[in-house]
Amino acid sequence: MPIAFITGITGQDGYYLSKFLLEKGYVVHGTIRRSSTFNTSRIEPLIAKYSKEDNLILHYSDLLDSSSLSTLISTINPDEIYNLAAQSHVAVSFNNPVFTTQTGTLGSIALLESIRSLNKKIKFYQASSSEMFGGKSNEMLSEASPFDPRSPYAASKVFAHNITKIYRDSYDIFGVNGILFNHESPHRGETFVTRKITRAVSRISVGIQSKLTLGNLDASRDWGFAGDYVEGMWLMMQHENPDDWVLATGESHTVKEFVEEAFKIVNLNSSDYVETSEKYFRPNEVDFLLGDSQKAQNELGWKPKTSFKELVKIMVESDLELAKRESVLIKEGLLSPTWDNS
Ligand code: NAP
Ligand code: GDD
C-alpha cells in the first residue's frame, strides 16, 4: 500500500486529501499541532473509520520543528509528502508576519532537506497559491505569469515555491508546486470570506443573526470546490515528471456576487443585512484573480467539476443544518450567540 505523509491534515484541504487517499487505499500519516483544545474536528469521521486498522496515523509535530519532521520522515519513509500546513489567512499574515513567514518557509525547506538526505525517491507536493500573483490586472493567470506578492503570506509562498523548484533542479527531487486558486467547501475555515458569508446567511435565515459585516465587496476571486482540487494534487504526484500546475475554474466572481447568490438561496435580499467595516479591509489588497488551468487539463486530465452556483448552494445548505442545530441549543439556553459583532 502506498504511504502518504500530510502536514496540515487538520485543515480544509487536509480533510479532503486524506479522505481521497484513504479511499484509494493509501496509508496516511498526518501531523497535528499540540493545542489546548481539540483541533481534529474535521478529520474525526476519518479517524473513526480508518485509525483502528492503522490506515490513518497522526503524529504531533510543527513545521517550525525541523527535527521532528526529519525523524518522522526517516521513520515512516513515505512515498509522497503533501506540504499543506501554513498560517493560511492573508489578513492575519499582516498581524503575525514573522510566524506566517517562518511557517511558510522553514517547513518546506526542512521537508526538502529530509528528502535530500534520507531518500530522494520520496515525492514532494508544495501548496503554492494564486496569492503569489498579486492580482493587480484582470488578466488570466497561468504558470508563466510573474509573481508580485502583496502580503507576508504571499511572500512566504513565493519562497516555498522557488525552493521546491531549486531542489527539483539541483538534486533531481520529484518536487511539484500546485498553484491553486481559491477553493472552498463546507469545511472551509469560518473566517475566510465564503464561509463567513454562508454561516451568516444561514443563521440570518433561521433568525439567530441580524447582520453580516464584511470588508472589500469588490474583490474578485476564482472560487472552486476543495474536493475537486485535492484530486488535482494527487494527479500532479502521479505525473511522469515533476512540474508546476495551476488549478482554477476559469471564472472570477466578486465578493458581492457571492453574497447575493448566497442570500438568493434562502430567499432573502442581501441589501437588508450586509454592511461593511474598515476592520475587514487589508493594508494591501489582491483585487482580481482568474486562473488558466489549461496545462493541468491537458497534461493531468484534471478539470473542475463544481460550478460557482453549485459551490454556494453546497455551502449554504450545509450551514443551514448547522444553524438549525444552533437555534435549538439557543432556545434550550445551551448556547449564547456571539457572532453578530464578530
Ligand atoms: P487551513 O484550513 O488553514 O489549514 C492549515 C493547516 O495548517 C491546519 O491543519 C493547521 O493546523 C496547519 N498549521 C498551521 N500552522 C502550522 C504549523 N506551524 N505547523 C504545523 N501545522 C500548521 O488551510 P487550507 O485551506 O486547508 O489550505 C491548505 C494549504 O493550501 C495551505 O498551505 C494554504 O496556504 C494553501 N492554499 C490554500 C488555498 C485555498 O483556497 N484553500 C489556495 C491556495 C493555497 P491547525 O488545524 O492546528 O490550525
Ligand atoms: N476573510 C475575509 N473576511 N475576507 C473578506 C471580508 C471579510 O470579512 N470582506 C471582504 N473580504 C475579501 C478579502 O479582502 C479578499 O479580497 C477576499 O474577500 C477573499 O478573502 P479570503 O476568503 O480571506 O481569502 P484570500 O483570497 O485572501 O486567501 C485565500 O485564498 C488564497 C488563494 O488565492 C486563502 O485560502 C489563502 O490561503 C489562499 O492562498
Side-chain angles (χ1 to χ4, degrees):
M1 282 193 284
I3 301 173
F5 178 84
I6 304 177
T7 70
I9 196 169
T10 56
Q12 170 189 256
D13 291 6
Y15 163 74
Y16 282 103
L17 179 65
S18 49
K19 182 170 183 290
F20 177 86
L21 295 175
L22 286 162
E23 285 169 359
K24 278 205 167 295
Y26 276 68
V27 171
V28 172
H29 291 259
T31 65
I32 56 169
R33 295 195 288 176
R34 194 272 156 185
S35 155
S36 65
T37 52
F38 289 112
N39 56 5
T40 50
S41 59
R42 287 189 181 97
I43 55 168
E44 285 304 333
L46 301 177
I47 294 173
K49 188 165 175 191
Y50 293 100
S51 62
K52 272 189 229 97
E53 308 280 312
D54 268 357
N55 287 343
L56 174 60
I57 302 147
L58 301 175
H59 309 269
Y60 282 111
S61 185
D62 193 296
L63 283 191
L64 302 184
D65 187 341
S66 57
S67 73
S68 85
L69 292 173
S70 162
T71 305
L72 286 171
I73 304 302
S74 75
T75 317
I76 296 163
N77 194 25
D79 299 290
E80 298 170 6
I81 296 178
Y82 294 86
N83 185 29
L84 306 186
Q87 188 304 95
S88 74
H89 201 286
V90 175
V92 171
S93 82
F94 286 100
N95 304 115
N96 293 183
V98 175
F99 174 72
T100 304
T101 305
Q102 286 172 332
T103 308
T105 58
L106 297 179
S108 54
I109 194 158
L111 290 164
L112 286 161
E113 263 299 290
S114 295
I115 293 173
R116 186 182 71 79
S117 60
L118 296 168
N119 176 4
K120 290 210 282 180
K121 289 207 162 51
I122 299 173
K123 296 178 179 180
F124 179 76
Y125 174 90
Q126 171 58 29
S128 282
S129 166
S130 49
E131 276 290 303
M132 301 187 303
F133 295 120
K136 280 296 166 205
S137 83
N138 285 17
E139 274 166 34
M140 263 202 149
L141 299 157
S142 74
E143 298 79 6
S145 304
F147 297 149
D148 184 13
R150 293 185 181 273
S151 63
Y153 167 81
S156 78
K157 286 287 179 187
V158 171
F159 173 88
H161 182 97
N162 286 336
I163 201 75
T164 301
K165 276 174 93 159
I166 289 166
Y167 270 62
R168 177 166 85 208
D169 297 341
S170 311
Y171 303 120
D172 204 17
I173 282 171
F174 192 104
V176 311
N177 286 304
I179 309 172
L180 272 50
F181 283 64
N182 297 50
H183 44 281
E184 319 293 314
S185 75
H187 290 283
R188 183 58 142 155
E190 295 190 22
T191 58
F192 294 95
V193 78
T194 56
R195 190 78 198 290
K196 180 173 170 182
I197 294 166
T198 60
R199 278 297 254 155
V201 165
S202 308
R203 284 169 172 157
I204 289 169
S205 156
V206 302
I208 57 172
Q209 183 165 343
S210 54
K211 60 182 191 290
L212 166 60
T213 312
L214 293 167
N216 181 8
L217 300 178
D218 297 325
S220 196
R221 290 290 181 275
D222 182 327
W223 277 301
F225 173 55
D228 296 346
Y229 285 50
V230 298
E231 184 183 12
M233 294 178 188
W234 177 79
L235 286 168
M236 291 178 205
M237 296 287 257
Q238 313 316 309
H239 195 259
E240 200 180 338
N241 300 309
D243 205 342
D244 305 332
W245 287 276
V246 160
L247 300 185
T249 69
E251 262 186 46
S252 193
H253 295 270
T254 61
V255 172
K256 188 163 183 277
E257 285 171 322
F258 195 107
V259 168
E260 285 168 356
E261 186 61 32
F263 274 100
K264 209 155 76 181
I265 292 168
V266 294
N267 296 315
L268 293 173
N269 189 343
S270 61
S271 56
D272 295 333
Y273 302 97
V274 177
E275 59 180 28
T276 57
S277 161
E278 275 307 309
K279 186 175 157 189
Y280 297 111
F281 282 77
R282 298 170 179 187
N284 203 344
E285 179 62 288
V286 169
D287 296 323
F288 184 90
L289 290 176
L290 173 63
D292 174 358
S293 62
Q294 269 316 307
K295 183 176 168 188
Q297 300 202 25
N298 296 341
E299 295 181 1
L300 307 175
W302 177 86
K303 61 171 191 259
K305 298 180 186 126
T306 313
S307 71
F308 174 72
K309 283 189 178 200
E310 283 165 346
L311 175 67
V312 182
K313 191 161 184 281
I314 293 167
M315 292 179 71
V316 170
E317 284 178 352
S318 168
D319 280 338
L320 268 173
E321 292 309 310
L322 276 182
K324 284 176 197 157
R325 289 206 289 276
E326 286 173 337
S327 168
V328 172
L329 292 175
I330 290 168
K331 279 190 198 119
E332 290 173 356
L334 297 169
L335 182 68
S336 310
T338 53
W339 39 77
D340 233 339
N341 293 310
S342 65

